[in-house]
Amino acid sequence: MQNTASRNRRGIAVPIATMFMILIIILSIAFMIYLLHRVSEISKTGVQIVKEEREKIEENAELFVAKVSIRNLSCNITLGLLNTGSVTLTASALYVFLVQAGNYTELYSKTISLSSSPGELLFINITGLPYVTPANTTYYVFKVVSTRGNVYTAYWRISTPMAYLFISPPLIYSGCRGSAWLIVINNLTEPLFDLTASLNYSPSTANITISNATPSTIERLPPGATAVFYWNFTALSLDTTNVTFTASLTSFNVTITSNKTVSVIETPKISSISVKILLNETLCRSGSWVIMYVNVTNFGPNPVEDVLPEISMIGVWPNGSLTVSYTLLDTTPQIIAPGNYTIFRYNLTCSGTGKAVIFAYAYGRDAATGHRIVSSEAPSQMLFVRTGGLLSCIIIAPSTVITTSTPPGYNVTLVVKVRNIGDVDVYNVTPTLSLTASGGINPDADIVLGPIPDKVSVLPPNSEAVFKYIINVTGTDDTRIYVIAVVAGIDYFGSVLSAKADETLFVRGLMVAVGLNITYLPGNLPPPNTVTILYGGTYAKANLYAYKPPYFRVLVNITSPFRRINFPTPVFINFTELLQELGISGTLDVNSIRVLNATTLSEIPYNYTLVSGFDAETNACMWIVFPANTTPGAVSQVYIYFNILENAVAVPPSKYYNVSYVDDSGSSLYDTYYYIVLKSPHKFYPKPPDQVLTDDDSTVSRPLPFSFPFYGTSYTRIYLSTNGFMRFTRPDRTWRTTPYTIYFTPKDLIAPFQMDLDSSSAGAGVYEGQLTLYELSGIYYYYYMNYFLYPNDWAIFEAILLESGDIVFSWNRIDRYYGWSTDCQYFYAGISRGNNIDYLIISTSDPTLTVPVSMYELTSVNVLFIYKPNLLTTIGTPEIDYNAPFEAIYRGFFNYTIIIYNKSPDTKWQVRFSFDRLVTAGVVKNFTVVVYNATYSHKEIIVEDNQIIRPIPSWFTIAPQSEAYVLIDVSTTDEFTVQLYLEAKIAYRDDLYGYVLPFTVIVNTP
């Protein structure tokens, strides 16, 4: 039992021991695991600490002040934070301290969260910091703390920079220009912000204009940097011995100044030079050269050194074909003494065609003052480059000559038309005609008369000359006349020119067509007893005419003691008296008037103004204006051609002259013994450099460069007034204008714009210059004025006085037409002799006067007063010209004449012609139907130069109990047949036709 019990106890202990062992093992394992975990935690913490310390070391940044703005004693500051490390930086806090004498005061703190990658720049804005007056011991401290505990610091110290002022030139004088420089040096360790500068002067009695500072603002000036502000100034007047300039520099309400005192000296007298240019030839052949002379004159008071000219050129040519190269032949700089001149030469080589405008100026150095001098004017010359003259010619003759085989035969008119197709004048153009006859019986051809004229002295480019011959021809149908014309001439460059033309004339024996009467009449009115009234039948007679309407002409002689080129020349013509002298009654055809050069018979453009009460039959009076050239001691001649409606109906000229006589009212007020007034295209000359008069109600006496005739008296001086007029006998400051019977007509004056004016604005005043117009020397006065009490309104105009006594007014800007007071309520423009009788008021705002130029028209026209004693025109005796240049040869034509009679006592009728068929075996040169009566005509051209026109028919009205004529005009070289229709209806009633009458015209030519 004991053993059994013992065994039982051992049996229990063993499991218990085993459990304890297992428990111990489990606890040991758990402890070991705990120990391993703790060791791992300790190891991980160490690694983290090492990593964080490493990252803290790798984090780096630069904090700096980027911008500062101070407004109302409050600072707004922008900080820049540049991540210069290799890890991401996160800013967590911002602090601002004010340090004063070593004491820190916290102004600002804020928790922030801003991150930046390596190399990234952050901006942090701080607003509302208090502004502190600058001091050397006062500054701001800015601190930014990162999440890793790093602290980044920046400083900003408010300090005063260094500034220095420099003035150039070191000595100034009235009229000089100079510059001022302010040098600003930031000698601190912090940047400066918002720098501005200003410049003033003293004493205030000086008058100096100063420009704005450049630059106007400098936002940031880094430490050690330098900034420059500069100004330009002009010393207008100086009445002191010294001038002190003060420059003020402001940076954040901190102002520092820098002064510079300069001495005032007497205004130096600087020499002036002028340039004139002259071409030895203004016309150059392409491929050749001309010499240009440049005259440089020194007006003193000092010598001028190192003088050389310069030229520039503007070419005007088609397709860029003109080239002009130039070489200065005198290349050595010259010294010109006061009052002397020197001449430089240029060689101009030309190629192509066109024109070049050449400008020249000169420069040098004043030997006494050292100033660089440039001529104040740039004169110009125009050089024309041409290839030369070139002639062409044709022979105008009837293709068929009607004659007999036995003498004396018949005379035929031939015309040799010569044209200058070159680009320069051709001189002494002369034709030679040779005739050869062959074939048939008694072939012969001889020159009976010609050439007429025997030569043409000058044939301009693109102009024609007509030479007439009368030849006598005999022969039969087999005869041929061979004509050869040779023309010769010499062009402007001296080259001998020639041209040749030939023509063959066919001869036909003289025949008369059956049923036709051959009649020669001086005109084309239907002859009596050759017509039948249409309403009584459809028959009308036919006649063959040889017709050339005569022209009338009168010679006008023009003389002048001055050379004038293309000068507007007015002539008063009474065509009614001229026709009476010829014993001819008729109605002037205004469209027939032509003005021709009496030598070359080339047309001259003209304009005309009808007089008041003009009547083409009883009072055909008018002013004719055309350009003319005069030479002292010579007579310039033109023909004025004209005709009457009874001879022919003319067409107007293709071009009218652009200058006209302004007195369209016919008043004798504008046709005095001394002056005639013309209206010209607007031309306004630029303001000259010399100002001779300023201020209000001022006057000055000025010399004239020539003796100027005015109403029969010559003057060498003139008194200018700021109030828009000038006088010869006495100075005059009068500002009143109204009434004109007190302030205009009793005075000797030239008034382009008489009004109360002044020169209140800068640059306003009266300027004087010289010019050349129509090759006449002239002086002009340029008024650049304000109105009294209206400083913002301008009156800009000018008056030109020419040596011939002619006067030109031109207006550029007129802002007001009425003055400030009833005493100067109206302006007046014109001239007056001063005797209350001879005066011309050509424009005014006075409503009581009727003037030819409206005040609103002033700035679009020029007005030219022509001095009649220096331009004499005389009218010769009228004559009949049966060989006028407007008809090359006589023409043959057939005439059918019909009379239509309206029998109705009170109803108007209308008629018209329409065209149907045309059958022809040859050439129809012309086929025209004309319906006409005493006051009206209508022409319908059906065939012209063998081309069918097919016109749109127009209705022609016939009054009750009245007649109308129908003229069918045919010019042909062969037979033809045409179908026409005459339509008639009650006037203005398209539904009431009377009848449509067809009839046939058959022409059988001889």
Side-chain angles (χ1 to χ4, degrees):
M1 290 296 292
Q2 185 179 359
N3 289 338
T4 304
S6 297
R7 286 197 298 268
N8 291 336
R9 289 193 293 270
R10 287 196 296 268
I12 296 170
V14 171
I16 293 171
T18 301
M19 291 177 63
F20 272 104
M21 285 300 293
I22 292 171
L23 179 61
I24 291 171
I25 291 172
I26 291 172
L27 291 174
S28 298
I29 291 173
F31 180 72
M32 289 299 294
I33 291 172
Y34 171 75
L35 288 177
L36 289 174
H37 178 71
R38 290 296 297 165
V39 170
S40 176
E41 285 184 348
I42 294 170
S43 175
K44 183 182 295 184
T45 302
V47 171
Q48 180 68 27
I49 292 172
V50 171
K51 180 181 179 183
E52 289 175 355
E53 288 298 323
R54 185 175 69 249
E55 288 180 351
K56 186 174 182 180
I57 293 172
E58 291 177 349
E59 179 187 278
N60 195 14
E62 178 184 345
L63 184 66
F64 59 92
V65 178
K67 184 176 181 181
V68 179
S69 176
I70 298 176
R71 297 292 184 270
N72 300 323
L73 298 181
S74 177
C75 292
N76 298 325
I77 297 177
T78 300
L79 299 178
L81 181 63
L82 177 63
N83 186 345
T84 60
S86 58
V87 296
T88 300
L89 181 151
T90 300
S92 61
L94 170 66
Y95 301 93
V96 181
F97 301 92
L98 177 64
V99 181
Q100 292 178 302
N103 298 317
Y104 279 71
T105 303
E106 182 177 314
L107 300 179
Y108 185 89
S109 65
K110 184 179 182 181
T111 300
I112 59 177
S113 179
L114 298 172
S115 298
S116 66
S117 302
E120 184 179 356
L121 176 63
L122 292 177
F123 291 102
I124 305 170
N125 295 317
I126 307 170
T127 60
L129 294 179
Y131 173 71
V132 181
T133 304
N136 292 331
T137 60
T138 302
Y139 56 94
Y140 290 95
V141 177
F142 306 93
K143 292 182 180 294
V144 173
V145 181
S146 73
T147 55
R148 296 185 178 91
N150 288 336
V151 179
Y152 303 101
T153 306
Y155 303 88
W156 179 52
R157 188 183 306 275
I158 305 176
S159 303
T160 303
M162 301 170 62
Y164 304 93
L165 180 63
F166 299 91
I167 302 296
S168 176
L171 301 175
I172 63 175
Y173 52 87
S174 294
C176 81
R177 298 179 179 179
S179 302
W181 293 270
L182 179 63
I183 311 299
V184 182
I185 303 174
N186 184 3
N187 57 345
L188 307 174
T189 59
E190 293 82 20
L192 296 172
F193 298 94
D194 288 349
L195 281 73
T196 59
S198 62
L199 182 68
N200 296 290
Y201 65 88
S202 62
S204 59
T205 54
N207 186 4
I208 303 175
T209 60
I210 301 175
S211 69
N212 295 326
T214 303
S216 59
T217 303
I218 297 177
E219 292 186 355
R220 187 175 186 272
L221 185 64
T226 300
V228 179
F229 294 90
Y230 73 90
W231 299 263
N232 293 322
F233 66 83
T234 302
L236 300 178
S237 62
L238 302 170
D239 56 355
T240 181
T241 58
N242 295 288
V243 173
T244 299
F245 290 91
T246 301
S248 300
L249 176 71
T250 301
S251 175
F252 297 135
N253 297 338
V254 177
T255 301
I256 61 172
T257 60
S258 180
N259 300 324
K260 186 70 174 180
T261 300
V262 295
S263 298
V264 176
I265 63 174
E266 183 182 355
T267 301
K269 296 181 179 179
I270 304 172
S271 292
S272 63
I273 59 177
S274 72
V275 171
K276 302 294 182 185
I277 57 179
L278 176 68
L279 291 167
N280 68 331
E281 289 286 347
T282 58
L283 197 60
C284 179
R285 181 191 291 274
S286 177
S288 185
W289 52 269
V290 296
I291 297 294
M292 187 180 78
Y293 300 93
V294 180
N295 179 305
V296 184
T297 302
N298 177 12
F299 293 103
N302 308 316
V304 179
E305 302 173 333
D306 300 331
V307 178
L308 279 175
E310 289 285 349
I311 69 173
S312 61
M313 199 166 307
I314 302 175
V316 182
W317 58 89
N319 302 321
S321 63
L322 174 65
T323 58
V324 179
S325 59
Y326 54 90
T327 303
L328 178 62
L329 302 180
D330 307 299
T331 59
T332 303
Q334 298 293 308
I335 300 175
I336 306 178
N340 288 341
Y341 67 90
T342 190
I343 294 177
F344 297 88
R345 296 170 301 151
Y346 280 90
N347 182 294
L348 306 181
T349 303
C350 309
S351 178
T353 60
K355 61 183 177 181
V357 183
I358 306 169
F359 296 87
Y361 68 94
Y363 61 89
R365 180 173 53 85
D366 190 298
T369 66
H371 285 82
R372 176 179 171 84
I373 301 173
V374 180
S375 57
S376 59
E377 56 184 332
S380 64
Q381 279 276 13
M382 188 171 291
L383 175 63
F384 297 89
V385 183
R386 300 288 186 260
T387 58
L390 183 62
L391 296 178
S392 69
C393 69
I394 60 173
I395 299 172
I396 301 175
S399 58
T400 301
V401 179
I402 300 175
T403 185
T404 62
S405 60
T406 59
Y410 277 80
N411 291 341
V412 177
T413 300
L414 302 181
V415 171
V416 178
K417 182 182 288 187
V418 183
R419 185 175 183 84
N420 179 4
I421 59 176
D423 51 16
V424 298
D425 292 345
V426 178
Y427 303 99
N428 297 325
V429 179
T430 305
T432 302
L433 190 71
S434 62
L435 304 173
T436 302
S438 64
I441 302 173
N442 294 328
D444 190 25
D446 300 296
I447 298 174
V448 177
L449 182 64
I452 301 174
D454 58 346
K455 71 174 181 179
V456 172
S457 299
V458 182
L459 187 61
N462 298 316
S463 297
E464 294 181 346
V466 175
F467 299 92
K468 298 180 181 179
Y469 289 88
I470 296 178
I471 64 173
N472 182 269
V473 177
T474 58
T476 59
D477 291 353
D478 297 329
T479 302
R480 303 290 183 268
I481 310 298
Y482 302 100
V483 185
I484 298 176
V486 178
V487 293
I490 300 175
D491 75 359
Y492 177 87
F493 300 118
S495 300
V496 178
L497 310 175
S498 65
K500 182 179 179 181
D502 58 79
E503 188 68 67
T504 300
L505 307 183
F506 296 86
V507 175
R508 293 180 64 181
L510 179 62
M511 296 186 302
V512 177
V514 177
L516 294 178
N517 298 319
I518 300 174
T519 311
Y520 296 92
L521 298 175
N524 66 341
L525 288 179
N529 303 320
T530 61
V531 295
T532 303
I533 297 175
L534 182 62
Y535 66 78
T538 60
Y539 173 80
K541 283 191 176 181
N543 291 276
L544 173 63
Y545 297 99
Y547 164 64
K548 177 177 172 58
Y551 248 85
F552 314 113
R553 70 181 184 184
V554 64
L555 183 65
V556 179
N557 294 307
I558 309 167
T559 58
S560 174
F562 295 92
R563 173 179 169 82
R564 287 176 158 106
I565 300 299
N566 292 330
F567 188 82
T569 303
V571 177
F572 183 81
I573 299 286
N574 188 330
F575 289 105
T576 301
E577 290 184 357
L578 296 178
L579 290 170
Q580 289 174 355
E581 288 186 46
L582 293 170
I584 294 173
S585 61
T587 304
L588 173 69
D589 184 357
V590 176
N591 290 330
S592 70
I593 299 172
R594 299 291 189 274
V595 180
L596 275 67
N597 183 298
T599 302
T600 64
L601 294 182
S602 57
E603 281 199 49
I604 301 171
Y606 73 95
N607 208 337
Y608 67 88
T609 301
L610 304 179
V611 300
S612 178
F614 173 86
D615 185 281
E617 184 175 5
T618 61
N619 186 30
C621 300
M622 66 179 67
W623 283 94
I624 293 180
V625 184
F626 54 88
N629 302 329
T630 62
T631 302
V635 178
S636 178
Q637 294 182 321
V638 299
Y639 278 122
I640 296 180
Y641 278 80
F642 59 101
N643 213 331
I644 55 177
L645 290 172
E646 289 78 0
N647 279 348
V649 178
V651 296
S654 60
K655 182 179 180 181
Y656 281 105
Y657 191 36
N658 56 5
V659 178
S660 62
Y661 183 70
V662 300
D663 179 27
D664 52 6
S665 65
S667 169
S668 62
L669 176 64
Y670 300 101
D671 176 20
T672 69
Y673 179 79
Y674 283 96
Y675 285 95
I676 291 177
V677 185
L678 298 182
K679 184 164 63 177
S680 306
H682 191 252
K683 167 74 173 176
F684 196 78
Y685 292 87
K687 181 172 66 177
D690 295 331
Q691 188 183 64
V692 296
L693 184 61
T694 59
D695 213 339
D696 180 39
D697 300 337
S698 297
T699 184
V700 67
S701 175
R702 297 292 298 168
L704 295 171
F706 41 76
S707 180
F708 180 79
F710 185 71
Y711 281 106
T713 303
S714 295
Y715 300 92
T716 58
R717 298 191 70 84
I718 194 167
Y719 295 96
L720 305 179
S721 169
T722 55
N723 290 321
F725 64 90
M726 54 202 75
R727 297 189 63 179
F728 294 97
T729 58
R730 67 188 64 187
D732 195 334
R733 294 180 172 86
T734 304
W735 58 269
R736 293 178 173 84
T737 64
T738 307
Y740 72 93
T741 54
I742 295 178
Y743 299 106
F744 192 102
T745 60
K747 298 182 178 182
D748 61 300
L749 78 156
I750 298 174
F753 191 77
Q754 184 187 26
M755 175 55 70
D756 189 8
L757 307 173
D758 71 11
S759 55
S760 57
S761 297
V766 184
Y767 294 76
E768 179 185 277
Q770 296 191 24
L771 49 66
T772 300
L773 185 60
Y774 305 116
E775 296 224 348
L776 297 167
S777 297
I779 187 169
Y780 71 112
Y781 303 101
Y782 186 106
Y783 280 76
Y784 188 71
M785 303 294 293
N786 301 112
Y787 292 73
F788 183 73
L789 294 185
Y790 302 100
N792 296 324
D793 291 337
W794 288 89
I796 304 173
F797 52 92
E798 59 191 13
I800 304 172
L801 309 185
L802 301 177
E803 60 178 328
S804 56
D806 308 312
I807 305 167
V808 182
F809 287 172
S810 183
W811 301 267
N812 178 263
R813 176 177 174 181
I814 303 297
D815 288 346
R816 300 183 62 86
Y817 303 102
Y818 304 93
W820 65 277
S821 163
T822 56
D823 289 338
C824 59
Q825 183 174 4
Y826 308 121
F827 83 89
Y828 297 90
I831 62 176
S832 173
R833 186 176 189 176
N835 60 359
N836 282 314
I837 299 175
D838 298 318
Y839 64 92
L840 305 168
I841 298 178
I842 52 93
S843 188
T844 182
S845 54
D846 187 342
T848 65
L849 293 178
T850 300
V851 290
V853 179
S854 165
M855 60 184 178
Y856 305 108
E857 190 184 9
L858 288 181
T859 55
S860 61
V861 300
N862 284 13
V863 171
L864 171 61
F865 299 80
I866 293 181
Y867 191 64
K868 289 175 60 177
N870 280 336
L871 185 69
L872 182 62
T873 58
T874 57
I875 309 297
T877 302
E879 56 185 353
I880 301 176
D881 182 11
Y882 285 96
N883 295 301
F886 306 109
E887 292 284 342
I889 57 174
Y890 282 76
R891 64 186 176 95
F893 64 86
F894 294 95
N895 236 338
Y896 281 83
T897 305
I898 303 169
I899 293 180
I900 305 172
Y901 183 66
N902 180 4
K903 298 173 63 177
S904 172
D906 53 13
T907 301
K908 292 182 180 180
W909 277 70
Q910 289 179 306
V911 296
R912 71 177 181 182
F913 277 88
S914 59
F915 162 77
D916 191 2
R917 296 183 302 278
L918 174 68
V919 179
T920 176
V923 177
V924 181
K925 299 297 290 182
N926 172 69
F927 181 39
T928 304
V929 176
V930 181
V931 184
Y932 64 96
N933 56 23
T935 59
Y936 178 84
S937 66
H938 173 71
K939 178 186 291 186
E940 292 181 1
I941 300 176
I942 298 174
V943 179
E944 187 173 43
D945 288 332
N946 210 40
Q947 298 293 320
I948 298 176
I949 306 299
R950 288 190 178 273
I952 299 175
S954 297
W955 290 103
F956 179 84
T957 302
I958 307 176
Q961 301 290 316
S962 298
E963 293 179 343
Y965 298 94
V966 180
L967 177 67
I968 302 173
D969 180 17
V970 181
S971 176
T972 182
T973 59
D974 245 310
E975 298 180 355
F976 78 94
T977 302
V978 67
Q979 185 75 41
L980 290 178
Y981 294 92
L982 175 64
E983 302 176 64
K985 71 180 182 68
I986 297 177
Y988 317 118
R989 292 288 301 274
D990 293 338
D991 57 335
L992 295 178
Y993 277 85
Y995 46 81
V996 177
L997 176 66
F999 61 98
T1000 303
V1001 178
I1002 301 175
V1003 176
N1004 298 302
T1005 59

